[in-house]
Amino acid sequence: MPTSQSTASIDTLPVALVEFSAGARIAVLLPLPVNTPYDYLVPDDCVLAPGDVVEVSVGRRIETGVVWGAGLGDVSSAKLKTVVRKLEVPALPDVLLRFIDWVAGYTLQPAGQILRMAINPIRRGSAPKPATTIVASGRSFEDCNVKATPAREKIIAALAADSFPSAAALAKKSNVGAGVVRGLIDAGVLSVVETTAASPFDKLDIYHAKTVLEGDQTSAVSALFARLNAFNVTLLDGVTGSGKTEVYLEAVAETLAQGKQVLVLVPEIALTAQSIARFTGRFGGAPAVWHSDLNYKRRRETWLGAAQGDAKVVIGARSALFLPFQNLGLIIVDEEHEAAFKQEDGVIYHARDMAVVRAREGQIPIILSTATPSLETVMNVRSKRYGEVKLPRRFGAAQMPAISVVDMRKDPPEKGRWGRAWLAPSMVKAVEDTLASGEQALLFLNRRGYAPLTLCRCCGHRLSCPSCTAWLVEHRKTGRLQCHHCGYNARPPKTCPSCDAAESFVPCGPGIERVAEEAAARWPDAKIRTVASDTLDRPSSIAELIADILDGRIDILVGTQVLAKGHHFPGLTLVGVVDADLGLSGWDLRAAERTHQLLHQVAGRAGRAEKPGRVLLQTHDPNHPVMQALLSGDDETFIANEIDTRQALTMPPFGRLTALILSGPDEAAVINASRQLAAAAPRGDGFEVLGPAPAFMALLRGRHRHRLLLKTRRNIAPQLLVKEWLGRVKMPPSVRVQVDVDPYSFY
Ligand code: ADP
Ligand code: ZN
């Protein structure tokens, strides 16, 4: 967990139980790239308190902001504008204001940008019209001075039989013009009344399908229960299929029984479909869901549901952390080790780490669930900052899969009549056996498209993206070459742009489409499906795919890591990893850790029911510690080695890193600015600055990139150092500096 205290806006920390009356000076934080709130005056006949959502004018437009506390007083009252109006939405709870301040202070991201994530659903557009229904006012035609015509009679008859939300709906049903209905409303025969809309959230029944727990699970649940009523962090560490979800669902039930809300954070939306099904099965109703694919209405509804306490359980991606929960009682972070919890664009923050802070601010428990804890979490358990609850065995008859390696140096793929092959003979045999017994196989390769590189056979020219330091990836499905970094895509050129040779391009290396091509050639009768994030980006398509797998409409899945996590497919008994070494190359301090986690997760898809599972890892380096750990199942040794390496290098979690990424369209300006920044770098004991150096992706979306890395001892908070450092150098307007505290990617 991050330990440094917020350095931003200490003086503007919200004060609980304060109110400001007409004419008072208040600080309003705006959802813009600003660090501090601006002062405004409270309008007449209005009382405002911290957390209230207001509209204020900024320049010539109206913006939605939040009352942050008493005014700062740096502008004279005469110059201040008055708040335009208070919005009729629940105020942001005090704990959320404190949390936003803390996150801003820790991540060095503008507080306003973080507020923006918190109020986006209520920021845009006007409040939706309240639900209405049309009723007879009780006054007759005569009372209202209108003649009784057949059309009017029809309206009254329709209204007696049914209820209608609008004049148009009523007119349609009675087969008359809408003007006739409006005439009756104007005359007073009918009136429009506001109705309270039915809650959009399902009722949850904690007794709906209570699970009968077995051995370890029972003690795990009691251990979690004992920790439910205070702030603490618990690692729920159990092998895949051990029942972690069943166990934390009991903690959810207990929290609901106390009348409190629960937030479940999942690393990506691909996981929500299955989580929703599990929750619905357990509680007889669906949880509220939060992710970027929701429409505005849904988002607003969920925001209000969280604020009013109607949304009892929210399952969501990262930004659900900033919902204004009225009475949050428990946070669960599922697959806590996932790098996807780190948001890298826009506001840069790590949702798992910030979830721990949110729990602390709210004095509530948090559970981190995973089969492969991150090294950060392991160290926090060892130092007793976090508690640990273990589930060492798979549930029921399910056994851990048998893992073996295929040494690609000794057992290379044989060339097929369709060209190069990627599956070694022993892998081919394993797939055949699986198909013969009517079971399913997953061929896993973490690479989208057909081939990651296309080059000219004549001159060796590689097709690369015009705006990024990246090769173009061929996608045969769409017939295009794509950049996976900026979205650039083009039709393959007819001739080589470098030597003009015609028909000279050759694909190099496999993506999932190419492996699927091989599978189709080898097993023409098998039902094969490729699965990747670009074809599987909505909960509905994921749900369909899951149904297809469960119902046996697929024999061989060829997929990237979208399928690696969380899912439970009883018929899937073989997992073949096409390239287990992928991900181990390149400079990333967590390369081994991540590859281990990923392969462990993928392996965990095999044999989750009665049928035993098998995992084959194709590798060129069977002695690599990652392969050895997977083979032996001895994670302890692997983790101990990782810890030693990181400790020796004082790399996280034994030291702290903060990356500064400078970027701009003009390379010379970026280089110049990064040299200036390096020259002004802080100097002292316990920290050092590495760089500047061109980033691994020296060009990204047309911007040139250079990096600096501040490395500090664990007990030195980098925030103040970085703030002062950036304050010493004036950046040219064309150069942007992004600060990434605790970076997870180094490209
Ligand atoms: P994990 O989250 O650790 O991967 P799950 O909670 O998904 O494990 O459990 C794996 C499978 O075993 C699921 O299908 C789950 O419903 C089932 N299961 C686990 N524990 C029980 C139990 N006590 N009773 C019935 N089914 C269980
Ligand atoms: Zn690109």
Side-chain angles (χ1 to χ4, degrees):
M1 181 180 104
T3 47
S4 96
Q5 271 307 313
S6 165
T7 49
S9 38
I10 298 279
D11 44 350
T12 63
L13 277 184
V15 188
L17 304 173
V18 230
E19 279 185 348
F20 305 100
S21 44
R25 183 195 272 268
I26 52 168
V28 174
L29 185 62
L30 298 168
L32 306 173
V34 295
N35 252 320
T36 45
Y38 296 133
D39 282 8
Y40 285 88
L41 298 173
V42 179
D44 290 343
D45 304 326
C46 185
V47 173
L48 291 173
D52 279 342
V53 184
V54 292
E55 278 180 357
V56 296
S57 58
V58 186
R60 271 195 249 131
R61 57 198 173 91
I62 299 287
E63 186 52 89
T64 305
V66 172
V67 180
W68 220 248
L72 308 182
D74 41 6
V75 178
S76 77
S77 285
K79 286 196 190 152
L80 289 186
K81 292 182 189 159
T82 301
V83 165
V84 176
R85 66 182 180 116
K86 175 177 185 283
L87 292 189
E88 290 308 314
V89 292
L92 266 51
D94 194 47
V95 53
L96 181 55
L97 305 191
R98 274 185 279 128
F99 179 52
I100 291 171
D101 266 331
W102 204 98
V103 174
Y106 185 84
T107 60
L108 297 174
Q109 308 288 305
Q113 297 280 58
I114 296 164
L115 176 70
R116 189 192 184 103
M117 296 194 285
I119 63 168
N120 235 347
I122 47 161
R123 193 173 148 241
R124 236 173 359 111
S126 50
K129 293 201 195 105
T132 55
T133 181
I134 299 183
V135 294
S137 66
R139 297 165 71 198
S140 65
F141 290 153
E142 219 168 28
D143 291 344
C144 302
N145 285 327
V146 291
K147 273 222 315 260
T149 62
R152 287 177 176 150
E153 299 284 8
K154 273 199 237 166
I155 292 171
I156 301 298
L159 206 54
D162 208 346
S163 61
F164 300 90
S166 65
L170 175 52
K172 190 159 175 240
K173 181 74 183 196
S174 355
N175 224 347
V176 303
V180 189
V181 177
R182 270 185 238 115
L184 288 181
I185 294 171
D186 292 342
V189 179
L190 304 181
S191 28
V192 181
V193 293
E194 282 189 17
T195 52
T196 36
S199 168
F201 304 103
D202 285 356
K203 275 223 147 10
L204 303 182
D205 172 9
I206 59 170
Y207 301 108
H208 178 77
K210 212 167 155 30
T211 314
V212 182
L213 300 167
E214 66 168 34
D216 297 332
Q217 298 178 338
T218 317
S219 38
V221 167
S222 359
L224 289 182
F225 277 19
R227 294 169 68 82
L228 273 188
N229 288 308
F231 164 62
N232 54 55
V233 191
T234 310
L235 168 64
L236 177 58
D237 178 3
V239 296
T240 47
S242 58
K244 294 185 293 298
T245 312
E246 296 295 342
V247 164
Y248 75 59
L249 285 175
E250 291 315 302
V252 172
E254 180 63 17
T255 308
L256 292 176
Q258 296 175 2
K260 297 180 194 159
Q261 293 163 291
V262 179
L263 167 64
V264 182
L265 284 181
V266 290
E268 52 195 84
I269 108 178
L271 275 177
T272 52
Q274 186 124 341
S275 310
I276 295 166
R278 290 290 288 274
F279 269 76
T280 311
R282 172 66 182 82
F283 297 115
V289 178
W290 183 262
H291 54 72
S292 54
D293 199 38
L294 295 183
N295 63 28
Y296 178 64
K297 177 169 172 278
R298 250 335 210 169
R299 234 182 256 218
R300 188 184 162 91
E301 229 165 56
T302 308
W303 194 95
L304 290 171
Q308 287 155 350
D310 310 335
K312 293 293 180 204
V313 174
V314 177
I315 298 191
R318 300 175 296 229
S319 60
L321 204 46
F322 296 96
L323 283 169
F325 290 101
Q326 186 199 60
N327 186 14
L328 188 61
L330 172 66
I331 303 178
I332 290 162
V333 181
D334 204 354
E335 311 287 356
E336 72 87 27
H337 62 276
E338 275 296 324
F341 281 120
K342 180 76 191 269
Q343 174 156 306
E344 315 247 69
D345 352 288
V347 184
I348 301 179
Y349 69 101
H350 199 304
R352 176 204 58 211
D353 294 350
M354 294 305 119
V356 172
V357 174
R358 173 65 182 80
R360 189 193 62 198
E361 291 297 309
Q363 288 298 304
I364 57 169
I366 174 167
I367 298 171
L368 310 179
S369 172
T370 177
T372 51
S374 64
L375 218 57
E376 280 76 5
T377 298
V378 168
M379 290 313 295
N380 279 320
V381 169
R382 294 200 179 170
S383 65
K384 303 267 187 289
R385 287 152 59 88
Y386 293 2
E388 185 180 33
V389 171
K390 283 197 162 202
L391 288 172
R393 272 170 294 275
R394 279 198 160 180
F395 169 73
Q399 295 298 311
M400 289 307 282
I403 302 184
S404 47
V405 293
V406 179
D407 186 339
M408 297 293 270
R409 297 166 310 181
K410 295 191 189 133
D411 185 20
E414 285 159 9
K415 209 170 160 162
R417 55 191 185 289
W418 57 90
R420 270 204 73 172
W422 312 100
L423 305 177
S426 44
M427 182 72 87
V428 171
K429 170 90 172 46
V431 174
E432 269 158 14
D433 292 348
T434 307
L435 294 177
S437 38
E439 293 162 7
Q440 293 164 314
L442 164 65
L443 294 174
F444 172 81
L445 177 62
N446 215 3
R447 241 197 220 140
R448 292 187 279 138
Y450 185 82
L453 167 66
T454 305
L455 57 76
C456 170
R457 188 187 298 126
C458 300
C459 72
H461 178 77
R462 300 165 170 205
L463 293 177
S464 57
C465 175
S467 331
C468 304
T469 318
W471 297 330
L472 291 174
V473 178
E474 183 187 355
H475 285 248
R476 291 235 165 135
K477 258 193 193 149
T478 55
R480 301 188 78 85
L481 293 165
Q482 279 184 24
C483 171
H484 284 177
H485 298 277
C486 72
Y488 170 89
N489 69 90
R491 214 170 295 200
K494 293 243 157 27
T495 57
C496 172
S498 173
C499 74
D500 275 338
E503 317 245 313
S504 65
F505 289 118
V506 280
C508 293
I512 52 169
E513 288 181 8
R514 203 168 184 185
V515 173
E517 181 184 76
E518 177 179 345
R522 287 188 189 279
W523 303 293
D525 297 332
K527 289 164 277 177
I528 299 170
R529 182 87 58 92
T530 55
V531 187
S533 55
D534 47 349
T535 53
L536 206 66
D537 51 355
R538 328 189 77 228
S540 52
S541 47
I542 296 157
E544 270 167 42
L545 173 76
I546 291 174
D548 284 348
I549 301 173
L550 293 177
D551 300 344
R553 283 188 290 273
I554 300 176
D555 301 316
I556 303 177
L557 279 155
V558 186
T560 62
Q561 62 173 341
V562 279
L563 280 184
K565 301 154 221 161
H567 299 295
H568 182 55
F569 306 123
L572 183 73
T573 55
L574 173 68
V575 169
V577 177
V578 177
D579 183 355
D581 309 331
L582 194 72
L584 285 174
S585 57
W587 195 82
D588 175 349
L589 102 109
R590 297 181 180 86
E593 180 190 354
R594 278 190 192 173
T595 305
H596 178 249
Q597 284 162 348
L598 180 60
L599 295 181
H600 201 290
Q601 294 286 325
V602 185
R605 294 316 106 215
R608 305 236 316 175
E610 288 74 41
K611 301 173 196 157
R614 271 182 85 178
V615 179
L616 289 185
L617 307 168
Q618 295 192 157
T619 173
H620 287 88
D621 190 2
N623 292 322
H624 192 287
V626 168
M627 306 310 148
Q628 288 301 318
L630 291 164
L631 278 177
S632 63
D634 180 6
D635 292 355
E636 295 294 322
T637 308
F638 175 74
I639 289 169
N641 278 332
E642 277 293 296
I643 288 176
D644 286 349
T645 315
R646 303 259 188 105
Q647 198 156 21
L649 301 170
T650 52
M651 280 294 182
F654 301 96
R656 293 161 181 262
L657 295 178
T658 304
L660 270 60
I661 302 121
L662 292 87
S663 67
D666 174 11
E667 187 173 13
V670 174
I671 293 178
N672 195 27
S674 57
R675 284 194 188 134
Q676 274 184 350
L677 204 55
R683 271 166 246 281
D685 195 24
F687 53 90
E688 62 178 321
V689 172
L690 312 172
F696 177 68
M697 301 233 21
L699 188 65
L700 181 61
R701 296 184 195 95
R703 298 175 73 88
H704 296 274
R705 304 167 75 243
H706 280 243
R707 300 175 59 103
L708 288 144
L709 196 61
L710 170 69
K711 193 175 156 202
T712 61
R713 267 204 309 252
R714 215 193 131 63
N715 56 358
I716 298 180
Q719 285 79 3
L720 199 56
L721 287 173
V722 172
K723 269 184 131 176
E724 288 176 355
W725 181 11
L726 290 175
R728 285 196 289 273
V729 185
K730 194 160 161 34
M731 284 289 132
S734 74
V735 177
R736 188 172 75 202
V737 185
Q738 265 185 313
V739 180
D740 185 353
V741 177
D742 308 331
Y744 273 68
S745 56
F746 298 87
Y747 57 83

